[in-house]
């Protein structure tokens, strides 16, 4: 049964609960953490909810981008979302920069967020400490505030994301409440929608860090557009431990537990079933089976993605329609916000 999120009690009435989420187009290929932590839920949630999903190109330029590559990666991202099962008949799929209201509401939200509050965002702290403050853009600092605008524009009840985005959704809730109290009830106060089992997929080489495109080595990162052979190698050389028994123990057997969670997510078998299934077998058996399971899923995914990439006119049509549907909702919210703040309405 496809999930339906709980509607929030605040915000305007809607026919169906609304969900919204976004993904960055920065590296072309999504990775397995993106898929299991977020995109898979997006596909399920489009059935029963009014779903808005976007490729967040405005967020991507918080770090330097090559223009041609950004354009190409944005298309590849949209094609992968379609390849993963998003259906433009069932959800609104669009590119963030096609809807100018994101930047407009982003400014308003910048003016409502405390500097210290923004400075507490751990993702910013992690990234900026790696780069140094002179190479860190102000855009990276205000990144979460643009994300707040993304969510509030659509009056989303729930935001399907991985664990690393929880803090940003919590800040969104604070800001929605602040605006509602300061002016008048305007925004739906959204909840994060995070599935425990796949909230954080770990790096195959460093199973204490999340799988991430910014990891120091690509060996622990499973990219969805890599040849399945390449990913099979990565699964087979995943870091485990010196024990030999396949069992679930997040603290002492982080590597094996990560592999079991990925297996469980792809196969639909529970962790208990898997532990029983691998009884008396070595880690190699788990890795081989996982590599096969992944290849079975990823091969048709890649074929579908390729077919969307081969038809740029269709991709443009989908995005044109998506932007139009998104703007209908976004412009209404922005008009209400501008009015509540006290901006003079332009005479037409
Ligand atoms: P991004 O592009 O970094 O990641 C997209 C989604 O993938 C999830 N994710 C993971 N989940 C589990 N395990 C992992 N190792 C893993 N790595 C990534 C992320 O949690 C995310 O859900 N700030 C967002 C994009 C964004 C957004 C929004 C999201 C912009 N506006 C509005 C929701 C609502 C980001 O950088 O995601």
């Amino acid at each position: 049964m496809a999930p339906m999120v709980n509607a929030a009690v605040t915000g305007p009435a809607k026919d169906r609960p609304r969900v919204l989420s976004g993904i960055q187009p920065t590296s072309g290929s999504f990775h397995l953490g993106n898929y299991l932590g977020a995109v898979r839920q997006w596909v399920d949630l489009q059935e029963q909810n009014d779903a808005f999903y976007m490729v967040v190109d405005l967020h991507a330029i918080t770090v330097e981008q090559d223009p041609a590559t950004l354009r190409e990666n944005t298309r590849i991202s949209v094609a992968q979302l379609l390849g993963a099962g998003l259906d433009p008949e069932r959800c609104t799929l669009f590119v963030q920069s096609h809807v100018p209201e994101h930047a407009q509401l982003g400014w308003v939200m910048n003016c409502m967020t405390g500097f210290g509050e923004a400075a507490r965002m751990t993702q910013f702290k992690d990234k900026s400490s790696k780069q140094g403050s002179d190479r860190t853009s102000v855009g990276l600092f205000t990144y979460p505030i643009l994300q707040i605008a993304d969510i509030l524009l659509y009056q989303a009840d729930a935001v399907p994301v991985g664990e690393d985005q929880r803090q940003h959704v919590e800040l969104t809730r604070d800001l929605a409440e602040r605006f509602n109290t300061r002016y008048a009830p305007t925004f739906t106060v959204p909840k994060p929608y995070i599935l425990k089992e796949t909230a954080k997929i770990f790096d195959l080489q460093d199973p204490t860090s999340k799988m991430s495109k910014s990891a120091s080595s690509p060996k622990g990162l499973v990219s969805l557009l890599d040849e399945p052979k390449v990913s099979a190698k990565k699964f087979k050389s995943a870091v485990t431990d010196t024990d030999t028994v396949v069992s679930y123990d997040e603290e002492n057997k982080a590597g094996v537990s990560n592999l079991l969670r990925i297996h469980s997510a792809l196969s639909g078998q529970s962790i208990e079933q898997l532990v029983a299934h691998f009884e008396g077998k070595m880690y190699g058996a788990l890795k081989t089976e996982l590599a096969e399971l992944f290849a079975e899923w990823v091969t048709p995914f890649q074929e579908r993605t390729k077919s969307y990439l081969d038809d740029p006119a269709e991709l443009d049509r989908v995005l044109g329609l998506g932007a139009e549907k998104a703007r209908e909702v976004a412009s209404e919210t922005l008009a209400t916000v501008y009015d509540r703040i006290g901006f003079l309405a332009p005479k037409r």
Side-chain angles (χ1 to χ4, degrees):
M1 174 76 179
M4 185 186 233
V5 303
N6 292 327
V9 281
T10 50
K14 288 159 253 167
D15 295 340
R16 287 187 300 166
R18 216 170 260 166
V19 298
L20 170 128
S21 201
I23 189 160
Q24 296 204 62
T26 30
S27 65
S29 177
F30 296 155
H31 60 72
L32 191 54
N34 295 138
Y35 176 65
L36 294 180
V39 175
R40 211 161 75 132
Q41 282 67 263
W42 299 9
V43 176
D44 287 345
L45 288 167
Q46 70 183 341
E47 301 299 333
Q48 296 273 352
N49 304 277
D50 189 12
F52 290 78
Y53 301 125
M54 64 184 157
V55 175
V56 295
D57 52 353
L58 297 178
H59 278 106
I61 63 160
T62 53
V63 292
E64 205 176 322
Q65 298 291 324
D66 169 68
T69 312
L70 177 60
R71 220 166 274 135
E72 167 88 3
N73 284 348
T74 303
R75 284 186 169 280
I76 295 176
S77 298
V78 175
Q80 285 175 95
L81 292 175
L82 293 166
L86 290 190
D87 175 356
E89 303 281 319
R90 294 197 170 85
C91 69
T92 303
L93 175 60
F94 64 103
V95 171
Q96 189 187 28
S97 65
H98 291 177
V99 181
E101 285 80 2
H102 290 255
Q104 292 173 289
L105 185 63
W107 175 251
V108 174
M109 289 296 142
N110 269 316
C111 298
M112 296 201 53
T113 308
F115 190 86
E117 207 169 25
R120 281 195 288 278
M121 295 295 109
T122 51
Q123 284 226 317
F124 171 74
K125 287 200 281 189
D126 289 350
K127 285 191 192 167
S128 59
S129 68
K130 280 187 198 146
Q131 300 176 175
S133 65
D134 278 347
R135 289 191 52 224
T136 299
S137 69
V138 174
L140 192 67
F141 183 67
T142 59
Y143 178 116
I145 303 169
L146 180 59
Q147 184 167 348
I148 291 172
D150 294 342
I151 299 168
L152 296 184
L153 268 180
Y154 298 91
Q155 306 285 0
D157 297 283
V159 185
V161 283
E163 183 61 40
D164 61 350
Q165 298 299 313
R166 185 187 293 278
Q167 198 187 26
H168 293 171
V169 183
E170 293 300 335
L171 185 61
T172 309
R173 293 174 58 81
D174 291 347
L175 266 288
E177 278 162 2
R178 188 171 306 163
F179 191 99
N180 289 349
T181 310
R182 192 175 295 177
Y183 298 102
T186 305
F187 292 124
T188 302
V189 182
K191 289 210 170 86
Y193 180 93
I194 301 175
L195 293 193
K196 196 162 93 286
E197 298 78 11
T198 50
K200 192 167 181 181
I201 301 297
F202 291 88
D203 186 288
L204 297 186
Q205 286 298 315
D206 173 9
T208 55
S209 303
K210 72 165 183 185
M211 187 177 284
S212 158
K213 51 207 163 208
S214 55
S216 53
S217 149
K219 279 169 63 189
L221 179 81
V222 179
S223 291
L224 302 187
L225 295 180
D226 274 354
E227 280 279 325
K229 276 203 302 266
V230 172
S231 303
K233 245 192 177 153
K234 291 184 180 176
F235 281 118
K236 287 180 187 165
S237 56
V239 165
T240 46
D241 51 65
T242 52
D243 188 20
T244 50
V245 181
V246 176
S247 62
Y248 192 81
D249 178 346
E250 282 178 28
E251 216 159 281
N252 300 308
K253 293 167 80 77
V256 174
S257 301
N258 189 38
L259 296 179
L260 281 170
R261 267 197 312 272
I262 297 173
H263 190 312
S264 170
L266 291 174
S267 66
Q269 295 182 62
S270 69
I271 301 279
E272 295 74 44
Q273 283 171 327
L274 291 176
V275 169
H277 170 68
F278 287 108
E279 202 185 323
K281 296 184 190 149
M282 309 287 266
Y283 291 162
L286 167 62
K287 292 175 174 180
T288 305
E289 202 173 297
L290 187 48
E292 283 166 9
L293 204 56
F294 177 73
E296 260 167 47
W297 172 77
V298 91
T299 306
F301 161 83
Q302 290 183 355
E303 281 162 11
R304 287 191 299 268
T305 300
K306 185 171 178 310
S307 74
Y308 288 111
L309 277 175
D310 287 344
D311 191 352
E314 172 60 11
L315 216 65
D316 287 340
R317 189 191 67 81
V318 166
L319 292 179
L321 220 68
E324 211 175 290
K325 274 163 66 188
R327 281 204 80 179
E328 264 175 43
V329 179
S331 60
E332 195 182 321
T333 306
L334 188 75
T336 309
V337 168
Y338 272 18
D339 180 56
R340 299 256 150 98
I341 288 178
F343 289 164
L344 204 55
K347 284 280 164 263
R348 304 211 188 267

